[in-house]
Amino acid sequence: MTSLSQPETFDCRQIFAQTLIELARQDERIVIVCNDSVGSSNLNEFKKEFPDRLVNVGIAEQNMIGVAAGLANSGFIPFVSCAGPFLSGRALEQVKADVAYNMYPIILCAQSPGISYGELGPTHHSIEDFSWIRALTDITLLNPADPKQTKDAIHWAVQANKPVYMRINRFKIPKTTPETASFEVGKALLLKEGNDVTLMTTGILVPRALEAAVILEQEGISARVLNIHTINPIDKEAIIAAALETRGIITMEEAMTTGGLGAAVSEVVVENHPTKMRILGVSHFAPTGSASFLLDYFGLSVENIVKSASELAG
């Protein structure tokens, strides 16, 4: 039994694989294209049940996108499963030309994104993906926070009939999404009301934002917490409301601060209702260390979120 102070945590790659099997049983158009990542993507069971619907191209990520585009052009719904840094980095030109330009219904699944690979270093960190994929405006960019949102995002993507990029988080995280919450692309999920400061977060940082909000409440600061699971299109209405109704906005992301969530929010703020902001995230290539260490190193600890919010609230 898990204690209240240490909730059960989950690896979202598992619900990703389970959901794909369930959907593939219902829809023969669903196929998977991967880059020698069957094991790390938890796709062994899918391969066992649907051996003819999984294409492993090996370590050839650019070809992987081309194969997926061909399958989409033939009427299939391809899920591309690949380690995050190689999907958004090595294959970016093909994502632009083969997927976004053609508006093919391909679901790009970035496995172990952000700084999940920790000690493997900057070559294996996928911290630029928000910036790069946001620039391809026709691709919906999703970053689910927990197993429920991951499953809901996959279900939405299958019927979207458009290109989708989503992170499949490896960093173990607790459940933060209420079971009754619906998944609306382009709409932030309000997790806590507040009128002093707004914490806008995404993905694996949602639990840290909620924990920070509890501490802030004890200090007399009312923090609104928004889970921004959709980076593109961004929820302009929720951002403008936060700028109008609270004293400032703090964004936090497991990604580069240039061009990511913070940039997307600030673009809305500066054009509609300028307010004080703090943008927390990755600022440069990381040193060697575990994922947990690196989150703290880049100021994404609960303590620094609290400190930043206290300063912003005055």
Side-chain angles (χ1 to χ4, degrees):
M1 179 180 296
T2 55
S3 66
L4 292 177
S5 60
Q6 294 183 324
E8 184 180 2
T9 56
F10 302 88
D11 181 338
C12 290
R13 293 176 300 172
Q14 297 172 352
I15 192 67
F16 161 78
Q18 294 168 10
T19 304
L20 285 190
I21 290 173
E22 293 169 3
L23 289 172
R25 289 169 179 164
Q26 303 167 18
D27 192 335
E28 294 182 350
R29 298 174 299 164
I30 293 174
V31 294
I32 297 176
V33 186
C34 67
N35 67 328
D36 199 27
S37 57
V38 174
S40 60
S41 297
N42 282 263
L43 294 174
N44 283 309
E45 289 302 314
F46 186 99
K47 180 180 179 181
K48 182 179 178 180
E49 186 166 343
F50 307 105
D52 296 330
R53 291 163 66 182
L54 186 147
V55 181
N56 184 351
V57 302
I59 305 174
E61 289 80 7
Q62 294 160 324
N63 290 344
M64 173 184 67
I65 299 299
V67 169
L71 288 167
N73 191 45
S74 301
F76 291 94
I77 302 175
F79 279 79
V80 174
S81 183
C82 174
F86 309 124
L87 176 58
S88 60
R90 185 174 297 158
L92 184 60
E93 180 186 358
Q94 284 68 34
V95 170
K96 171 188 172 181
D98 295 350
V99 181
Y101 179 68
N102 290 298
M103 282 295 288
Y104 282 143
I106 297 172
I107 299 97
L108 304 168
C109 301
Q111 302 285 346
S112 306
I115 52 178
S116 295
Y117 280 119
E119 294 88 348
L120 293 181
T123 59
H124 282 63
H125 295 163
S126 176
I127 54 175
E128 304 89 356
D129 59 341
F130 287 176
S131 306
W132 290 341
I133 301 299
R134 269 193 72 223
L136 305 175
T137 55
D138 290 328
I139 298 185
T140 299
L141 173 53
L142 306 176
N143 187 27
D146 60 8
K148 173 176 166 51
Q149 281 204 329
T150 300
K151 183 173 184 176
D152 289 347
I154 293 170
H155 276 269
W156 177 87
V158 165
Q159 55 77 42
N161 197 35
K162 61 187 298 184
V164 178
Y165 177 98
M166 72 172 70
R167 282 186 172 190
I168 307 297
N169 289 300
R170 168 183 181 173
F171 191 93
K172 287 194 172 184
I173 44 179
K175 294 179 180 179
T176 55
T177 305
E179 288 300 322
T180 56
S182 60
F183 185 83
E184 297 183 60
V185 168
K187 292 293 182 182
L189 178 62
L190 177 64
L191 294 176
K192 182 183 176 300
E193 295 279 4
N195 52 31
D196 288 330
V197 67
T198 300
L199 307 180
M200 294 189 181
T201 186
T202 184
I204 68 169
L205 295 175
V206 171
R208 294 188 176 211
L210 288 169
E211 188 176 345
V214 172
I215 297 172
L216 287 166
E217 201 77 38
Q218 296 168 352
E219 297 180 358
I221 298 173
S222 174
R224 180 179 304 182
V225 179
L226 291 173
N227 172 358
I228 312 293
H229 51 72
T230 309
I231 312 297
N232 184 48
I234 199 77
D235 188 346
K236 293 182 179 180
E237 183 178 333
I239 295 168
I240 294 170
L244 288 168
E245 298 165 4
T246 66
R247 301 179 205 171
I249 296 170
I250 295 177
T251 64
M252 57 207 77
E253 56 196 304
E254 184 202 7
M256 291 295 294
T257 54
T258 50
L261 172 62
V265 172
S266 62
E267 289 164 10
V268 176
V269 167
V270 75
E271 290 186 349
N272 293 276
H273 188 80
T275 189
K276 293 185 292 183
M277 282 189 64
R278 297 288 186 276
I279 299 175
L280 306 181
V282 181
S283 55
H284 56 268
F285 288 135
T288 299
S290 68
S292 294
F293 164 79
L294 292 175
L295 289 177
D296 292 347
Y297 172 85
F298 283 113
L300 296 166
S301 64
V302 172
E303 293 76 15
N304 193 56
I305 296 169
V306 170
K307 179 176 178 291
S308 300
S310 298
E311 293 172 351
L312 202 63

